[in-house]
Amino acid sequence: MLKPIHRLLSQTGSLCLACGSKISAQIPGYPELCLSCYSSIPWIMQPRCLVCGRHVGCPDCSRTGGTPRCFVINRSSVAYNASMRQWLAQYKYRGHEAYGEVLARMMGRAVEQMKNELGLQKTFFDAVTFVPLSEARWVERGFNQAEKLARGAALARGRNGRSLPLLNLLTRTRHTDKQSFKSRHERLKNMQGVFQALPDASERLAAVAVRSDGTFSEHGEAIRLLLVDDVYTTGSTINACAAVLQNICTELGASGEIYSLTWARS
Ligand SMILES: [Zn+2]
Ligand SMILES: [Zn+2]
């Protein structure tokens, strides 16, 4: 009985989320994209800079005498080109939820790739967390795109095949202006005190990373966290958040290993 209807539906076909053209062949895992749009995704398969995950040469990370880096490495799913900028804007500023779903799914792939690269098959992240929005931005937007992406990353299988714990650990005291046009010194000054730990952050983290006998999961004396944001530009936001996360770990008597994962690398 259902067969003719089914045939009719597949003949009608759905339209590509990004370009609006008819989808003739479905891409596994990305049914809302046409082959051409999917093929144009600039995945970063092999980063040129092994510190910040940039796909092109990177002067920032090789500079000596800069600020201490509070995260181990950053990796990003895609290069931030014009079409990726558009996809993110559709979700972030227009609230187009279907894009949010696609972007979040792309994070799952990035986590797997990061895990393989680092040889983290056995030992994995204790929890996933994300860069918070300021309250004003939250009120304006109604959602935090970084949280959505973190949720996608957390779905990558953790220990025992379960998804990773997703923890809200940070708060943002104020919104900062676009950082990319500022000098390195100005950026750092601008970030001071912007991020803080939520009052119950250490309890929340302890609940997933500290065992009943007081030892820390599988990473010896370290708690390993995955910090998620939408775009890595200068790294100053990630670094400021990582510093606060390190402090939370220290409070628990552990050292913090903060890994950063962003959806895009500019
Ligand atoms: Zn398309
Ligand atoms: Zn770099």
Side-chain angles (χ1 to χ4, degrees):
M1 266 270 293
L2 287 171
K3 258 187 178 165
I5 299 170
H6 186 78
R7 202 176 302 136
L8 187 72
L9 280 175
S10 61
Q11 275 168 3
T12 315
S14 39
L15 301 180
C16 173
L17 173 69
C19 73
S21 68
K22 206 170 128 182
I23 296 173
S24 46
Q26 268 205 0
I27 316 292
Y30 295 89
E32 54 281 89
L33 296 177
C34 74
L35 181 61
S36 151
C37 287
Y38 178 78
S39 312
S40 73
I41 295 175
W43 301 106
I44 301 178
M45 303 302 284
Q46 220 143 31
R48 278 274 296 278
C49 178
L50 294 176
V51 174
C52 71
R54 205 171 185 190
H55 48 293
V56 289
C58 167
D60 278 11
C61 295
S62 49
R63 208 196 320 255
T64 49
T67 22
R69 193 174 69 242
C70 300
F71 57 93
V72 184
I73 52 162
N74 172 72
R75 287 295 177 270
S76 307
S77 187
V78 296
Y80 200 36
N81 67 11
S83 63
M84 293 300 102
R85 196 178 297 267
Q86 246 177 25
W87 288 18
L88 180 63
Q90 284 287 343
Y91 175 53
K92 193 168 164 178
Y93 304 114
R94 298 190 171 196
H96 199 322
E97 184 55 35
Y99 279 95
E101 295 297 325
V102 172
L103 269 48
R105 237 175 286 142
M106 291 165 79
M107 295 299 281
R109 171 185 167 140
V111 175
E112 289 299 329
Q113 195 174 309
M114 193 175 190
K115 228 172 68 179
N116 291 337
E117 183 194 334
L118 300 171
L120 293 180
Q121 277 94 339
K122 268 175 94 181
T123 49
F124 201 13
F125 305 109
D126 290 297
V128 181
T129 190
F130 49 88
V131 173
L133 284 186
S134 66
E135 209 172 303
R137 278 289 173 280
W138 177 266
V139 168
E140 183 185 293
R141 201 172 292 160
F143 63 94
N144 179 357
Q145 73 286 351
E147 181 176 4
K148 173 82 176 181
L149 297 169
R151 199 170 293 278
L155 284 175
R157 286 185 314 158
R159 277 186 290 274
N160 320 319
R162 286 189 307 232
S163 65
L164 296 162
L166 178 66
L167 299 181
N168 190 6
L169 298 173
L170 303 172
T171 176
R172 185 177 199 136
T173 55
R174 62 192 149 85
H175 181 71
T176 42
D177 303 325
K178 210 167 171 63
Q179 293 273 84
S180 19
F181 303 112
K182 292 192 169 72
S183 74
R184 207 172 163 76
H185 179 71
E186 283 173 325
R187 280 195 318 253
L188 293 169
K189 238 183 99 185
N190 197 32
M191 292 313 286
Q192 253 160 30
V194 170
F195 298 103
Q196 287 170 8
L198 283 169
D200 58 348
S202 49
E203 286 82 6
R204 279 189 216 187
L205 184 55
V208 302
V210 185
R211 288 177 176 152
S212 50
D213 64 358
T215 59
F216 305 105
S217 55
E218 292 175 33
H219 319 302
E221 296 301 302
I223 293 175
R224 194 175 280 166
L225 295 175
L226 186 66
L227 170 63
V228 171
D229 200 6
D230 51 3
V231 185
Y232 183 113
T233 305
T234 64
S236 52
T237 299
I238 287 291
N239 207 38
C241 288
V244 179
L245 293 173
Q246 292 242 7
N247 289 341
I248 301 172
C249 294
T250 308
E251 242 177 76
L252 293 174
S255 64
E257 278 179 26
I258 319 300
Y259 290 80
S260 162
L261 179 67
T262 69
W263 174 70
R265 179 71 174 90
S266 71

